[in-house]
Amino acid sequence: MARTLRDKYAMREAFSSGNVPQPVHGLARTLHEAVTQAARIGFPLVLKPLIDNDSGYFRRVDDVAELTEYFPVVQRGAWSGIAHNPLYDWMVETYDSAILLEEYLPGAEVSVESIVVDGRAHVVAIHDKPVPMEGPYFVDVHYATPSRLPAEVQKRIVELTAASHRAVGIETGAVHTEFRIQSDGTPKILETAARLGGGPVYQSVLLSTGVDMVEAVLDVASGRTPELTPEPEPTCAGFYLFFAKKAGRISGISGVEEAVRDPRVHEISLYRKVGDAVDVPPRVWQSHGHVIFTGILAESPGVHAGDECISGLL
């Protein structure tokens, strides 16, 4: 199970076996193989490393010219600097420097946080990602919960989250799963990971639902029954990650004191200071700071609560 979750191609094969909707995909070791796969998958498509790299070296390409330009770049980056990974030698032997090619999925992206207890998935929160992620690189910037997707779509997300866990063999612990929602409302899975969501996801879930996912993981690991009952009414919560608009050095920082005074701001943290060098994707994937905040649920007739929540957060 652990190996499947670290091997993106093996994960895709497991989803296929479990009938979990996902993008069309394939492997390519050479540019010729990549062009052949692209003819089958269609453009646009996404180039991905098979192991490690987080979101690094994910790249959307829109035609053969871009595929020809970026395939060697992604392939080189995907297999460099990861020799420390315990699966590295096995992956090299199995895949021989291949990378993954996937159908590009348009649509809204969501993050699902769940706890699996005795094989049963308990979805704690669904975060929308209000800032469109269309490429060519894919950087998480803004998360907000509760989701403003229609109830029937959220129900399907919950069902497919559980199906994805079964497909890869997760029977216990925290799981972070991501989907793209298609125009007809069908969620298609991007990936799942046997871990808590990264960055400020933990705080956002806690603020919104009252569920402490770290405590839940410790309970599961200790053989106790975790407390996963959310607050009767969720609080609109979310976070925003700061990235530089261009490479350079930070000449000044402003607005922090004003933000701290806003009662909706629960945490603001800057990882860089004046004089520090900053860069932009694809050369950097970690943000330069974050803010965690809450909003207000709508009470006006005819106003979608999720829309009002997002407006409050922004």
Side-chain angles (χ1 to χ4, degrees):
M1 182 272 286
R3 179 174 287 179
T4 298
L5 286 164
R6 299 300 297 163
D7 175 343
K8 297 183 191 298
Y9 184 72
M11 186 188 301
R12 286 271 173 244
E13 294 297 283
F15 291 153
S16 294
S17 297
N19 295 316
V20 181
Q22 63 177 329
V24 180
H25 58 279
L27 289 174
R29 295 171 177 81
T30 66
L31 178 59
H32 175 74
E33 290 180 355
V35 172
T36 301
Q37 292 284 12
R40 179 179 63 88
I41 296 170
F43 288 106
L45 56 79
V46 179
L47 308 178
K48 281 186 178 182
L50 286 171
I51 185 174
D52 253 354
N53 284 298
D54 297 321
S55 296
Y57 294 103
F58 284 33
R59 168 81 200 202
R60 169 178 163 161
V61 294
D62 293 339
D63 51 39
V64 172
E66 288 192 352
L67 179 61
T68 302
E69 179 178 359
Y70 292 108
F71 178 83
V73 176
V74 172
Q75 185 180 43
R76 193 162 50 245
W79 291 99
S80 63
I82 61 169
H84 62 280
N85 190 296
L87 294 182
Y88 178 77
D89 291 339
W90 180 83
M91 293 288 287
V92 169
E93 181 180 349
T94 303
Y95 294 111
D96 185 27
S97 75
I99 63 172
L100 191 61
L101 279 67
E102 294 183 356
E103 170 193 13
Y104 169 75
L105 298 177
E109 187 166 318
V110 299
S111 164
V112 185
E113 315 308 323
S114 55
I115 298 288
V116 181
V117 184
D118 295 329
R120 181 184 175 192
H122 301 263
V123 171
V124 179
I126 300 173
H127 280 90
D128 293 333
K129 299 184 183 183
V131 176
M133 300 172 66
E134 299 174 344
Y137 304 106
F138 301 91
V139 179
D140 286 326
V141 174
H142 183 191
Y143 282 55
T145 189
S147 174
R148 53 182 174 170
L149 290 169
E152 62 271 17
V153 175
Q154 293 192 48
K155 179 182 178 182
R156 187 60 177 148
I157 289 171
V158 170
E159 294 170 347
L160 290 175
T161 297
S164 73
H165 298 168
R166 291 191 299 269
V168 297
I170 298 175
E171 296 184 351
T172 187
V175 189
H176 172 76
T177 310
E178 295 183 332
F179 293 89
R180 282 274 175 118
I181 312 304
Q182 304 305 282
S183 58
D184 63 356
T186 299
K188 288 192 175 182
I189 194 165
L190 297 178
E191 293 184 4
T192 194
R195 59 170 175 81
L196 292 169
V201 167
Y202 162 74
Q203 295 101 311
S204 182
V205 172
L206 182 61
L207 281 170
S208 178
T209 68
V211 175
D212 188 320
M213 293 194 71
V214 170
E215 186 174 284
V217 168
L218 294 174
D219 283 339
V220 171
S222 304
R224 299 187 296 266
T225 300
E227 178 51 64
L228 300 174
T229 304
E231 298 290 342
E233 293 294 331
T235 298
C236 289
F239 58 89
Y240 196 94
L241 304 175
F242 303 130
F243 285 88
K245 291 185 177 180
K246 61 181 180 179
R249 291 191 177 274
I250 299 175
S251 60
I253 297 173
S254 63
V256 176
E257 293 181 0
E258 294 90 335
V260 169
R261 288 196 295 267
D262 192 316
R264 296 169 298 180
V265 173
H266 286 256
E267 178 179 293
I268 185 166
S269 179
L270 302 180
Y271 320 147
R272 305 286 184 267
K273 60 183 183 300
V274 173
D276 284 353
V278 292
D279 212 334
V280 295
R283 295 180 296 276
V284 65
W285 296 99
Q286 296 297 319
S287 67
H288 307 310
H290 69 258
V291 58
I292 305 171
F293 40 73
T294 55
I296 301 171
L297 282 169
E299 296 181 357
S300 305
V303 177
H304 191 293
D307 291 336
E308 184 67 17
C309 176
I310 296 300
S311 299
L313 292 174
L314 291 173

